[in-house]
Every structure is written in C-alpha cells, then in structure tokens.
Amino acid sequence: MKRQDYIKQHAAEYKRLCDRRDKLNEESMKSGLTKKRYQAIVARLNWTCMYIAQEEERLLFALGRLKPENARIEYQPGHFQRYPGIADELKATEFDN
C-alpha cells in the first residue's frame, strides 16, 4: 500500500471516530438519562477513545513521527480491560515506494 493511501484511509477513520466521540459526549450530557443508559454511553465513549488513540498512532507512524517500538504497550478503555498495543501491526506494515 502506498503511504498516502494508508494516511488517507486512517485519516477518514480518525474523523469518523472523532465525530462519534463528539456525538457520544453530547449524548452523555443530556439530562434525564438513567444510570444504566449513562453507563452504556460512557463505556462506548471509552472504547471509541481507545480506537481514536490507535488511529493517532497509525497516522503518526505513517508520517514518520512514531517508531513501532515507541507505540503504546497496552490500551485500557475501562477499569478492568487491558488490550495490547498495535506495535506488532505497525512493524508488519510496509509502504510501496
């Protein structure tokens, strides 16, 4: 894959996720939400923020600003969940000249 295509693809995904985050944030501020509904929104917001962080790392890598070995070791979208970072994915990514 060409570097510019990789950047374009992940920039579009980054925008989509940021729009989702903003929408969830607005939704979480509404009054009259039940505790269960509020917790569901916050959980989705946490996951969305994790995906945004991953896209940021992909973009920084593609722009030459992040080496795979300097990527996050793990993501923690909630109190008890832990997920491995994307360093291995970045190491395996190669760009066409």
Side-chain angles (χ1 to χ4, degrees):
M1 174 181 277
K2 290 185 177 183
R3 185 179 302 268
Q4 62 267 27
D5 294 332
Y6 182 90
I7 292 170
K8 181 179 178 182
Q9 174 187 345
H10 288 285
E13 180 66 10
Y14 180 76
K15 182 190 180 326
R16 186 183 71 77
L17 289 167
C18 287
D19 290 345
R20 180 186 296 168
R21 178 199 57 207
D22 295 344
K23 184 178 177 183
L24 287 169
N25 195 34
E26 285 179 22
E27 194 174 338
S28 73
M29 301 291 190
K30 291 180 182 175
S31 61
L33 293 174
T34 64
K35 182 179 178 180
K36 186 175 181 177
R37 178 70 180 138
Y38 177 77
Q39 289 173 337
I41 293 168
V42 169
R44 287 177 50 206
L45 189 56
N46 288 340
W47 282 96
T48 302
C49 289
M50 180 185 81
Y51 294 135
I52 288 171
Q54 290 175 341
E55 290 302 325
E56 287 172 345
E57 286 191 342
R58 289 180 182 110
L59 289 168
L60 287 170
F61 167 73
L63 294 170
R65 305 278 183 198
L66 179 69
K67 294 180 182 179
E69 55 271 11
N70 295 335
R72 285 187 194 191
I73 295 170
E74 72 177 12
Y75 295 94
Q76 190 176 0
H79 295 292
F80 303 107
Q81 301 101 353
R82 284 185 161 70
Y83 295 93
I86 60 171
D88 291 338
E89 172 191 324
L90 298 180
K91 288 177 187 174
T93 303
E94 294 183 16
F95 299 113
D96 300 336
N97 292 332

Tab-separated table of all heavy atoms in Angstrom, residues 21-72:
chain	number	residue	atom	x	y	z
A	21	ARG	N	-17.230	10.205	18.846
A	21	ARG	CA	-16.890	10.623	20.206
A	21	ARG	C	-17.658	11.880	20.595
A	21	ARG	O	-18.221	11.970	21.687
A	21	ARG	CB	-15.385	10.883	20.325
A	21	ARG	CG	-14.961	11.367	21.706
A	21	ARG	CD	-13.635	12.042	21.694
A	21	ARG	NE	-13.652	13.155	20.755
A	21	ARG	CZ	-12.567	13.621	20.142
A	21	ARG	NH1	-11.383	13.108	20.369
A	21	ARG	NH2	-12.670	14.629	19.293
A	22	ASP	N	-17.690	12.859	19.690
A	22	ASP	CA	-18.398	14.107	19.974
A	22	ASP	C	-19.892	13.865	20.194
A	22	ASP	O	-20.507	14.440	21.091
A	22	ASP	CB	-18.186	15.110	18.845
A	22	ASP	CG	-16.743	15.556	18.712
A	22	ASP	OD1	-15.947	15.331	19.661
A	22	ASP	OD2	-16.391	16.117	17.651
A	23	LYS	N	-20.464	12.988	19.367
A	23	LYS	CA	-21.882	12.673	19.500
A	23	LYS	C	-22.162	11.967	20.827
A	23	LYS	O	-23.130	12.292	21.526
A	23	LYS	CB	-22.334	11.792	18.333
A	23	LYS	CG	-23.794	11.475	18.322
A	23	LYS	CD	-24.166	10.647	17.112
A	23	LYS	CE	-25.636	10.276	17.153
A	23	LYS	NZ	-26.029	9.416	16.042
A	24	LEU	N	-21.307	11.007	21.179
A	24	LEU	CA	-21.487	10.310	22.455
A	24	LEU	C	-21.309	11.254	23.635
A	24	LEU	O	-22.026	11.160	24.637
A	24	LEU	CB	-20.498	9.145	22.567
A	24	LEU	CG	-20.793	7.928	21.699
A	24	LEU	CD1	-19.605	6.982	21.698
A	24	LEU	CD2	-22.051	7.230	22.158
A	25	ASN	N	-20.355	12.162	23.521
A	25	ASN	CA	-20.123	13.131	24.589
A	25	ASN	C	-21.352	14.015	24.789
A	25	ASN	O	-21.767	14.261	25.922
A	25	ASN	CB	-18.883	13.968	24.287
A	25	ASN	CG	-18.394	14.717	25.496
A	25	ASN	OD1	-18.488	14.239	26.611
A	25	ASN	ND2	-17.876	15.911	25.264
A	26	GLU	N	-21.930	14.488	23.693
A	26	GLU	CA	-23.154	15.296	23.780
A	26	GLU	C	-24.292	14.490	24.406
A	26	GLU	O	-25.035	14.997	25.237
A	26	GLU	CB	-23.574	15.778	22.393
A	26	GLU	CG	-22.735	16.894	21.844
A	26	GLU	CD	-23.175	17.309	20.454
A	26	GLU	OE1	-24.343	17.058	20.081
A	26	GLU	OE2	-22.339	17.878	19.726
A	27	GLU	N	-24.400	13.234	23.978
A	27	GLU	CA	-25.460	12.379	24.491
A	27	GLU	C	-25.303	12.144	25.995
A	27	GLU	O	-26.293	12.098	26.733
A	27	GLU	CB	-25.440	11.038	23.743
A	27	GLU	CG	-26.666	10.202	23.946
A	27	GLU	CD	-26.673	8.960	23.077
A	27	GLU	OE1	-25.971	8.929	22.049
A	27	GLU	OE2	-27.384	8.013	23.440
A	28	SER	N	-24.059	12.035	26.452
A	28	SER	CA	-23.823	11.780	27.874
A	28	SER	C	-24.174	12.992	28.740
A	28	SER	O	-24.390	12.851	29.941
A	28	SER	CB	-22.363	11.378	28.118
A	28	SER	OG	-21.501	12.491	27.988
A	29	MET	N	-24.239	14.175	28.143
A	29	MET	CA	-24.532	15.393	28.891
A	29	MET	C	-26.033	15.664	29.033
A	29	MET	O	-26.430	16.552	29.778
A	29	MET	CB	-23.894	16.605	28.197
A	29	MET	CG	-22.416	16.523	28.055
A	29	MET	SD	-21.641	16.649	29.650
A	29	MET	CE	-19.953	16.827	29.193
A	30	LYS	N	-26.844	14.898	28.317
A	30	LYS	CA	-28.284	15.116	28.378
A	30	LYS	C	-28.812	14.795	29.770
A	30	LYS	O	-28.342	13.887	30.437
A	30	LYS	CB	-29.003	14.232	27.355
A	30	LYS	CG	-28.751	14.635	25.923
A	30	LYS	CD	-29.485	13.719	24.979
A	30	LYS	CE	-29.200	14.100	23.544
A	30	LYS	NZ	-29.825	13.146	22.606
A	31	SER	N	-29.788	15.565	30.161
A	31	SER	CA	-30.408	15.299	31.465
A	31	SER	C	-31.489	14.226	31.281
A	31	SER	O	-31.987	13.996	30.187
A	31	SER	CB	-31.019	16.574	32.035
A	31	SER	OG	-32.012	17.067	31.171
A	32	GLY	N	-31.802	13.576	32.372
A	32	GLY	CA	-32.865	12.574	32.337
A	32	GLY	C	-32.395	11.193	31.926
A	32	GLY	O	-33.230	10.302	31.732
A	33	LEU	N	-31.097	10.981	31.783
A	33	LEU	CA	-30.604	9.656	31.435
A	33	LEU	C	-30.667	8.745	32.660
A	33	LEU	O	-30.374	9.175	33.775
A	33	LEU	CB	-29.143	9.716	30.955
A	33	LEU	CG	-28.863	10.415	29.638
A	33	LEU	CD1	-27.353	10.494	29.404
A	33	LEU	CD2	-29.526	9.678	28.493
A	34	THR	N	-31.043	7.517	32.423
A	34	THR	CA	-30.989	6.559	33.527
A	34	THR	C	-29.523	6.224	33.795
A	34	THR	O	-28.654	6.436	32.941
A	34	THR	CB	-31.746	5.264	33.180
A	34	THR	OG1	-31.091	4.632	32.089
A	34	THR	CG2	-33.203	5.547	32.837
A	35	LYS	N	-29.269	5.703	34.961
A	35	LYS	CA	-27.897	5.337	35.325
A	35	LYS	C	-27.352	4.284	34.356
A	35	LYS	O	-26.206	4.373	33.910
A	35	LYS	CB	-27.859	4.808	36.756
A	35	LYS	CG	-26.475	4.443	37.231
A	35	LYS	CD	-26.484	3.952	38.669
A	35	LYS	CE	-25.088	3.552	39.103
A	35	LYS	NZ	-25.056	3.078	40.477
A	36	LYS	N	-28.184	3.327	34.010
A	36	LYS	CA	-27.768	2.259	33.094
A	36	LYS	C	-27.441	2.819	31.711
A	36	LYS	O	-26.436	2.442	31.094
A	36	LYS	CB	-28.869	1.201	33.007
A	36	LYS	CG	-28.492	-0.015	32.213
A	36	LYS	CD	-29.594	-1.053	32.277
A	36	LYS	CE	-29.185	-2.291	31.500
A	36	LYS	NZ	-30.196	-3.348	31.583
A	37	ARG	N	-28.275	3.721	31.221
A	37	ARG	CA	-28.045	4.329	29.897
A	37	ARG	C	-26.767	5.166	29.919
A	37	ARG	O	-25.970	5.125	28.985
A	37	ARG	CB	-29.254	5.192	29.501
A	37	ARG	CG	-29.095	5.899	28.187
A	37	ARG	CD	-29.126	4.922	27.027
A	37	ARG	NE	-28.966	5.654	25.791
A	37	ARG	CZ	-28.198	5.248	24.789
A	37	ARG	NH1	-27.570	4.112	24.847
A	37	ARG	NH2	-28.101	5.980	23.715
A	38	TYR	N	-26.575	5.930	30.979
A	38	TYR	CA	-25.378	6.754	31.105
A	38	TYR	C	-24.124	5.879	31.112
A	38	TYR	O	-23.147	6.178	30.436
A	38	TYR	CB	-25.447	7.602	32.381
A	38	TYR	CG	-24.206	8.418	32.617
A	38	TYR	CD1	-23.968	9.583	31.891
A	38	TYR	CD2	-23.245	8.012	33.545
A	38	TYR	CE1	-22.816	10.325	32.097
A	38	TYR	CE2	-22.094	8.744	33.752
A	38	TYR	CZ	-21.881	9.902	33.021
A	38	TYR	OH	-20.729	10.628	33.218
A	39	GLN	N	-24.157	4.791	31.854
A	39	GLN	CA	-23.007	3.891	31.915
A	39	GLN	C	-22.715	3.262	30.555
A	39	GLN	O	-21.554	3.087	30.185
A	39	GLN	CB	-23.221	2.806	32.972
A	39	GLN	CG	-23.156	3.337	34.386
A	39	GLN	CD	-23.533	2.301	35.422
A	39	GLN	OE1	-24.237	1.328	35.132
A	39	GLN	NE2	-23.070	2.509	36.656
A	40	ALA	N	-23.761	2.938	29.803
A	40	ALA	CA	-23.582	2.376	28.464
A	40	ALA	C	-22.923	3.391	27.535
A	40	ALA	O	-22.027	3.047	26.752
A	40	ALA	CB	-24.922	1.918	27.897
A	41	ILE	N	-23.347	4.632	27.626
A	41	ILE	CA	-22.760	5.688	26.798
A	41	ILE	C	-21.299	5.894	27.154
A	41	ILE	O	-20.434	6.001	26.277
A	41	ILE	CB	-23.555	7.004	26.944
A	41	ILE	CG1	-24.958	6.859	26.343
A	41	ILE	CG2	-22.811	8.164	26.287
A	41	ILE	CD1	-25.893	7.998	26.688
A	42	VAL	N	-20.985	5.926	28.438
A	42	VAL	CA	-19.604	6.123	28.885
A	42	VAL	C	-18.728	4.955	28.431
A	42	VAL	O	-17.584	5.154	28.009
A	42	VAL	CB	-19.545	6.336	30.409
A	42	VAL	CG1	-18.128	6.282	30.917
A	42	VAL	CG2	-20.181	7.673	30.765
A	43	ALA	N	-19.257	3.742	28.491
A	43	ALA	CA	-18.484	2.581	28.028
A	43	ALA	C	-18.180	2.703	26.533
A	43	ALA	O	-17.039	2.476	26.103
A	43	ALA	CB	-19.254	1.296	28.316
A	44	ARG	N	-19.181	3.070	25.741
A	44	ARG	CA	-18.952	3.254	24.299
A	44	ARG	C	-17.973	4.389	24.046
A	44	ARG	O	-17.139	4.319	23.139
A	44	ARG	CB	-20.282	3.518	23.588
A	44	ARG	CG	-21.131	2.270	23.487
A	44	ARG	CD	-22.482	2.499	22.852
A	44	ARG	NE	-22.422	3.219	21.602
A	44	ARG	CZ	-23.431	3.960	21.129
A	44	ARG	NH1	-24.549	4.077	21.814
A	44	ARG	NH2	-23.312	4.594	19.988
A	45	LEU	N	-18.054	5.429	24.853
A	45	LEU	CA	-17.137	6.556	24.734
A	45	LEU	C	-15.702	6.118	25.021
A	45	LEU	O	-14.770	6.490	24.307
A	45	LEU	CB	-17.577	7.674	25.675
A	45	LEU	CG	-16.892	9.018	25.577
A	45	LEU	CD1	-16.980	9.601	24.180
A	45	LEU	CD2	-17.498	9.979	26.575
A	46	ASN	N	-15.514	5.309	26.054
A	46	ASN	CA	-14.179	4.804	26.380
A	46	ASN	C	-13.601	3.965	25.241
A	46	ASN	O	-12.434	4.104	24.887
A	46	ASN	CB	-14.220	3.976	27.673
A	46	ASN	CG	-14.424	4.833	28.894
A	46	ASN	OD1	-14.182	6.031	28.878
A	46	ASN	ND2	-14.889	4.217	29.967
A	47	TRP	N	-14.417	3.081	24.678
A	47	TRP	CA	-13.946	2.262	23.558
A	47	TRP	C	-13.597	3.134	22.355
A	47	TRP	O	-12.574	2.927	21.699
A	47	TRP	CB	-15.015	1.245	23.165
A	47	TRP	CG	-15.057	0.079	24.090
A	47	TRP	CD1	-15.887	-0.095	25.151
A	47	TRP	CD2	-14.207	-1.055	24.051
A	47	TRP	NE1	-15.601	-1.281	25.776
A	47	TRP	CE2	-14.579	-1.899	25.114
A	47	TRP	CE3	-13.164	-1.448	23.217
A	47	TRP	CZ2	-13.950	-3.106	25.374
A	47	TRP	CZ3	-12.540	-2.661	23.472
A	47	TRP	CH2	-12.929	-3.466	24.534
A	48	THR	N	-14.441	4.100	22.070
A	48	THR	CA	-14.198	4.998	20.939
A	48	THR	C	-12.895	5.755	21.126
A	48	THR	O	-12.110	5.901	20.188
A	48	THR	CB	-15.383	5.970	20.757
A	48	THR	OG1	-16.580	5.200	20.556
A	48	THR	CG2	-15.173	6.897	19.585
A	49	CYS	N	-12.633	6.206	22.334
A	49	CYS	CA	-11.380	6.921	22.611
A	49	CYS	C	-10.173	6.009	22.442
A	49	CYS	O	-9.113	6.446	21.978
A	49	CYS	CB	-11.412	7.535	24.004
A	49	CYS	SG	-12.544	8.942	24.109
A	50	MET	N	-10.301	4.728	22.770
A	50	MET	CA	-9.211	3.785	22.540
A	50	MET	C	-8.946	3.646	21.039
A	50	MET	O	-7.802	3.676	20.594
A	50	MET	CB	-9.532	2.416	23.128
A	50	MET	CG	-8.410	1.403	22.909
A	50	MET	SD	-8.785	-0.278	23.452
A	50	MET	CE	-9.741	-0.884	22.064
A	51	TYR	N	-10.005	3.527	20.263
A	51	TYR	CA	-9.841	3.401	18.810
A	51	TYR	C	-9.239	4.676	18.204
A	51	TYR	O	-8.450	4.609	17.269
A	51	TYR	CB	-11.165	3.060	18.139
A	51	TYR	CG	-11.697	1.699	18.517
A	51	TYR	CD1	-13.035	1.522	18.839
A	51	TYR	CD2	-10.870	0.582	18.586
A	51	TYR	CE1	-13.537	0.284	19.196
A	51	TYR	CE2	-11.362	-0.657	18.953
A	51	TYR	CZ	-12.691	-0.802	19.254
A	51	TYR	OH	-13.190	-2.029	19.614
A	52	ILE	N	-9.594	5.826	18.754
A	52	ILE	CA	-9.010	7.089	18.301
A	52	ILE	C	-7.508	7.093	18.579
A	52	ILE	O	-6.708	7.478	17.724
A	52	ILE	CB	-9.704	8.298	18.962
A	52	ILE	CG1	-11.107	8.479	18.389
A	52	ILE	CG2	-8.880	9.574	18.792
A	52	ILE	CD1	-11.953	9.498	19.117
A	53	ALA	N	-7.113	6.662	19.758
A	53	ALA	CA	-5.692	6.610	20.106
A	53	ALA	C	-4.929	5.675	19.165
A	53	ALA	O	-3.803	5.982	18.746
A	53	ALA	CB	-5.516	6.164	21.558
A	54	GLN	N	-5.558	4.568	18.793
A	54	GLN	CA	-4.915	3.658	17.847
A	54	GLN	C	-4.742	4.325	16.483
A	54	GLN	O	-3.690	4.202	15.846
A	54	GLN	CB	-5.724	2.375	17.706
A	54	GLN	CG	-5.681	1.501	18.933
A	54	GLN	CD	-6.589	0.297	18.828
A	54	GLN	OE1	-7.525	0.254	18.015
A	54	GLN	NE2	-6.337	-0.698	19.667
A	55	GLU	N	-5.762	5.010	16.024
A	55	GLU	CA	-5.667	5.695	14.726
A	55	GLU	C	-4.614	6.800	14.766
A	55	GLU	O	-3.891	7.005	13.793
A	55	GLU	CB	-7.021	6.261	14.305
A	55	GLU	CG	-8.046	5.223	13.920
A	55	GLU	CD	-7.604	4.307	12.774
A	55	GLU	OE1	-6.902	4.761	11.854
A	55	GLU	OE2	-7.968	3.123	12.818
A	56	GLU	N	-4.521	7.500	15.890
A	56	GLU	CA	-3.492	8.533	16.018
A	56	GLU	C	-2.097	7.922	15.886
A	56	GLU	O	-1.230	8.477	15.210
A	56	GLU	CB	-3.623	9.260	17.355
A	56	GLU	CG	-4.803	10.194	17.419
A	56	GLU	CD	-5.044	10.777	18.797
A	56	GLU	OE1	-4.479	10.264	19.800
A	56	GLU	OE2	-5.817	11.742	18.878
A	57	GLU	N	-1.901	6.768	16.508
A	57	GLU	CA	-0.607	6.104	16.409
A	57	GLU	C	-0.324	5.646	14.980
A	57	GLU	O	0.801	5.755	14.502
A	57	GLU	CB	-0.521	4.922	17.374
A	57	GLU	CG	-0.349	5.371	18.801
A	57	GLU	CD	0.011	4.233	19.739
A	57	GLU	OE1	-0.198	3.048	19.399
A	57	GLU	OE2	0.521	4.532	20.836
A	58	ARG	N	-1.340	5.142	14.297
A	58	ARG	CA	-1.154	4.728	12.907
A	58	ARG	C	-0.761	5.923	12.040
A	58	ARG	O	0.119	5.820	11.187
A	58	ARG	CB	-2.422	4.067	12.376
A	58	ARG	CG	-2.683	2.709	12.963
A	58	ARG	CD	-3.958	2.088	12.413
A	58	ARG	NE	-4.197	0.807	13.022
A	58	ARG	CZ	-5.180	0.550	13.885
A	58	ARG	NH1	-6.045	1.499	14.224
A	58	ARG	NH2	-5.321	-0.647	14.396
A	59	LEU	N	-1.431	7.043	12.254
A	59	LEU	CA	-1.114	8.237	11.467
A	59	LEU	C	0.282	8.767	11.793
A	59	LEU	O	1.035	9.140	10.882
A	59	LEU	CB	-2.174	9.317	11.696
A	59	LEU	CG	-3.544	9.019	11.078
A	59	LEU	CD1	-4.587	9.975	11.604
A	59	LEU	CD2	-3.475	9.054	9.564
A	60	LEU	N	0.632	8.807	13.059
A	60	LEU	CA	1.975	9.256	13.441
A	60	LEU	C	3.041	8.339	12.834
A	60	LEU	O	4.076	8.810	12.354
A	60	LEU	CB	2.113	9.290	14.961
A	60	LEU	CG	1.380	10.419	15.670
A	60	LEU	CD1	1.398	10.196	17.176
A	60	LEU	CD2	1.983	11.762	15.311
A	61	PHE	N	2.796	7.051	12.831
A	61	PHE	CA	3.713	6.098	12.222
A	61	PHE	C	3.863	6.369	10.723
A	61	PHE	O	4.971	6.433	10.204
A	61	PHE	CB	3.210	4.665	12.463
A	61	PHE	CG	3.901	3.632	11.632
A	61	PHE	CD1	5.206	3.256	11.924
A	61	PHE	CD2	3.253	3.037	10.563
A	61	PHE	CE1	5.856	2.295	11.160
A	61	PHE	CE2	3.886	2.082	9.792
A	61	PHE	CZ	5.190	1.709	10.084
A	62	ALA	N	2.748	6.554	10.042
A	62	ALA	CA	2.776	6.791	8.596
A	62	ALA	C	3.480	8.101	8.255
A	62	ALA	O	4.116	8.217	7.206
A	62	ALA	CB	1.356	6.798	8.033
A	63	LEU	N	3.394	9.070	9.134
A	63	LEU	CA	4.047	10.358	8.910
A	63	LEU	C	5.509	10.356	9.358
A	63	LEU	O	6.201	11.367	9.238
A	63	LEU	CB	3.286	11.466	9.641
A	63	LEU	CG	1.879	11.744	9.105
A	63	LEU	CD1	1.131	12.668	10.047
A	63	LEU	CD2	1.952	12.336	7.704
A	64	GLY	N	5.970	9.229	9.880
A	64	GLY	CA	7.355	9.112	10.313
A	64	GLY	C	7.634	9.732	11.663
A	64	GLY	O	8.781	9.990	12.011
A	65	ARG	N	6.607	9.964	12.447
A	65	ARG	CA	6.754	10.602	13.762
A	65	ARG	C	6.746	9.605	14.922
A	65	ARG	O	6.913	9.999	16.070
A	65	ARG	CB	5.625	11.604	13.997
A	65	ARG	CG	5.473	12.650	12.945
A	65	ARG	CD	6.438	13.754	13.173
A	65	ARG	NE	6.224	14.789	12.164
A	65	ARG	CZ	7.098	15.690	11.880
A	65	ARG	NH1	8.246	15.709	12.514
A	65	ARG	NH2	6.852	16.582	10.964
A	66	LEU	N	6.507	8.324	14.620
A	66	LEU	CA	6.436	7.315	15.665
A	66	LEU	C	7.053	6.020	15.163
A	66	LEU	O	6.702	5.536	14.084
A	66	LEU	CB	4.967	7.052	16.063
A	66	LEU	CG	4.714	5.991	17.126
A	66	LEU	CD1	5.211	6.463	18.494
A	66	LEU	CD2	3.242	5.639	17.190
A	67	LYS	N	7.964	5.487	15.927
A	67	LYS	CA	8.543	4.183	15.621
A	67	LYS	C	7.679	3.126	16.300
A	67	LYS	O	7.161	3.366	17.393
A	67	LYS	CB	9.976	4.101	16.146
A	67	LYS	CG	10.916	5.034	15.440
A	67	LYS	CD	12.307	4.901	16.005
A	67	LYS	CE	13.229	5.895	15.302
A	67	LYS	NZ	14.592	5.815	15.840
A	68	PRO	N	7.525	1.960	15.666
A	68	PRO	CA	6.682	0.918	16.265
A	68	PRO	C	7.075	0.569	17.696
A	68	PRO	O	6.210	0.336	18.541
A	68	PRO	CB	6.877	-0.282	15.338
A	68	PRO	CG	7.219	0.325	14.022
A	68	PRO	CD	8.013	1.557	14.342
A	69	GLU	N	8.355	0.563	17.985
A	69	GLU	CA	8.781	0.207	19.346
A	69	GLU	C	8.415	1.278	20.377
A	69	GLU	O	8.456	1.024	21.580
A	69	GLU	CB	10.285	-0.097	19.405
A	69	GLU	CG	11.170	0.988	18.881
A	69	GLU	CD	11.460	0.895	17.380
A	69	GLU	OE1	10.819	0.107	16.668
A	69	GLU	OE2	12.339	1.640	16.934
A	70	ASN	N	8.046	2.468	19.919
A	70	ASN	CA	7.639	3.538	20.830
A	70	ASN	C	6.120	3.650	20.968
A	70	ASN	O	5.625	4.533	21.672
A	70	ASN	CB	8.210	4.873	20.378
A	70	ASN	CG	9.718	4.912	20.460
A	70	ASN	OD1	10.325	4.192	21.236
A	70	ASN	ND2	10.342	5.733	19.638
A	71	ALA	N	5.403	2.764	20.303
A	71	ALA	CA	3.943	2.767	20.391
A	71	ALA	C	3.524	2.293	21.778
A	71	ALA	O	4.302	1.676	22.505
A	71	ALA	CB	3.349	1.864	19.314
A	72	ARG	N	2.290	2.588	22.147
A	72	ARG	CA	1.777	2.167	23.459
A	72	ARG	C	1.883	0.658	23.618
A	72	ARG	O	1.632	-0.096	22.689
A	72	ARG	CB	0.311	2.527	23.599
A	72	ARG	CG	0.066	3.966	23.844
A	72	ARG	CD	-1.395	4.152	24.143
A	72	ARG	NE	-1.726	5.559	24.057
A	72	ARG	CZ	-2.862	6.067	24.462
A	72	ARG	NH1	-3.784	5.296	24.955
A	72	ARG	NH2	-3.088	7.357	24.365
